[in-house]
Each structure stands twice: as structure tokens, then as C-alpha cells.
Amino acid sequence: VFNPITFFGLFGSPTDENEYGIDSESIALYGQAEWRPASMERLSVTLGLRYTEEDKDQYILHPNASGTGLTFDVADSDSWDNTSGSLILAYDLAEDVNVYGKVAQGWKSGGFNGEAPSGEAFRDGYDAEEVLAFEAGIKSRFADDKVQLNAALFYNDISDMQVSVFLEGSGGAASNVANAGEATFQGLELEL
């Protein structure tokens, strides 16, 4: 990314060069199996497992900084890996009506801040985010498939949540991704 920054350019303020880039490699293996017990043909049990490995090499370059002395040229790299699973129990109440329950893990790798205002802020980076998600719902069709009604209750428990945070002293002009701690999201989703 080449992103020159000019503050108050109309008044002859100099332009600061700003460049950053990333090389990211992600490899994942995923498998899923479904089982329907012979004694309960309407029930299905689905198990899934995913392994992910991600490597990131990133750099940031600020060769000039309008006389503030905040010039820097840094690079860093890191690796993250995760194994996540899922379990889904589904039951066909009728040919066009299915109820289900699901528990799943999710993951997002960490990284570095390409728009960091200093080399130190760039190297600080952020950690991976993980979520444990629960969902229960119904999927149905009526009136010769002319009407579809789906509903789901969900609850997501997030750890090391990644959020964009405005940097102190930047006047809202700069932000970094940071880990904000834990959060939960819950609700009801209806689709007709």
C-alpha cells in the first residue's frame, strides 16, 4: 500500500511518504462427517474439524515525517495456528421442517498494524481472536415451497476480540487493531 499523507496540503504542508505491505500464507485442512443412526433416520449428527496455520511477513516504511522525527523502516513476521471443531445435531420434524442445535469454534489469526504511527506500535501487533458459538434454530418451507421461515437463537463468546482503536494524540486520524478482551454477542434471527 502506497498511502502518502498530507496534512493541510492547501497551506503548503509537506507530504509524508507512507508505505506498508504484507505477505501472508495460510494453509488449512478441514474434514466433516455426517452420521444418521439407523434407528432414528430423522436425526443427523455432523462433526467437523479444521486445522489452520498462518504465516505473516509484514513491513512498514515512513522515510519522512514532516520534521517530527518519527521516521522508521521496520519489518516483522509471526506464525499462528489453531484447531477448531464443530458439532451439529439436526432433526427432521417433517419433510420441510428441520430443527437443529450447533456448537462451533472459530478463529482469526493475529497480525501487525500497517498504519502504525511508530515502529514500536507496528511490532506490538495483535493476538489471534477465538470464538465459541452456540446456535439453535428451525428451518422450514410451507405452501409448496412458496414460503420459507427460518429462526435461530445464537450466543457467541469471544476472547481476545480484535477491534480498531483510535490512537491517542492522533486527533482521530490514525487507528490500530488491538485485542480488547472478552465479549459476548447474543440474539434472535428471523427470516421469512
Side-chain angles (χ1 to χ4, degrees), residues 30-37 43-49 85-91 98 100-104:
Y30 177 76
Q32 179 173 301
E34 181 178 304
W35 174 59
R36 289 188 177 263
L43 175 69
S44 69
V45 180
T46 305
L47 292 170
L49 191 64
S86 64
L87 169 66
I88 304 168
L89 300 176
Y91 190 81
N98 176 274
Y100 68 93
K102 176 180 182 178
V103 60

Side-chain angles (χ1 to χ4, degrees), residues 2 20 35 49 55 68 80-81 90 127 146 158 166 176 191:
F2 298 96
Y20 59 94
W35 174 59
L49 191 64
D55 301 315
T68 62
W80 296 267
D81 62 78
D127 295 327
K146 293 183 178 101
I158 302 169
F166 286 113
N176 274 347
E191 178 185 42

Side-chain angles (χ1 to χ4, degrees), residues 7-140:
F7 292 101
F8 308 110
L10 295 174
F11 304 105
S13 177
T15 298
D16 291 342
E17 298 301 321
N18 179 32
E19 175 186 335
Y20 59 94
I22 186 171
D23 180 20
S24 182
E25 183 178 299
S26 183
I27 297 171
L29 296 172
Y30 177 76
Q32 179 173 301
E34 181 178 304
W35 174 59
R36 289 188 177 263
S39 61
M40 297 181 69
E41 292 180 3
R42 292 183 174 198
L43 175 69
S44 69
V45 180
T46 305
L47 292 170
L49 191 64
R50 177 186 178 101
Y51 172 78
T52 307
E53 185 176 295
E54 195 160 318
D55 301 315
K56 292 183 181 179
D57 297 308
Q58 190 163 344
Y59 75 92
I60 185 170
L61 173 62
H62 284 267
N64 59 343
S66 300
T68 62
L70 295 176
T71 63
F72 51 94
D73 179 0
V74 294
D76 210 338
S77 63
D78 207 343
S79 297
W80 296 267
D81 62 78
N82 177 269
T83 302
S84 299
S86 64
L87 169 66
I88 304 168
L89 300 176
Y91 190 81
D92 296 328
L93 293 176
E95 185 176 328
D96 295 330
V97 180
N98 176 274
V99 293
Y100 68 93
K102 176 180 182 178
V103 60
Q105 297 170 305
W107 176 80
K108 186 169 30 172
S109 71
F112 303 98
N113 286 295
E115 304 242 354
S118 70
E120 182 179 288
F122 169 82
R123 281 199 177 101
D124 282 346
Y126 50 94
D127 295 327
E129 174 183 297
E130 294 183 349
V131 61
L132 180 59
F134 301 90
E135 184 176 329
I138 184 170
K139 294 184 182 287
S140 59

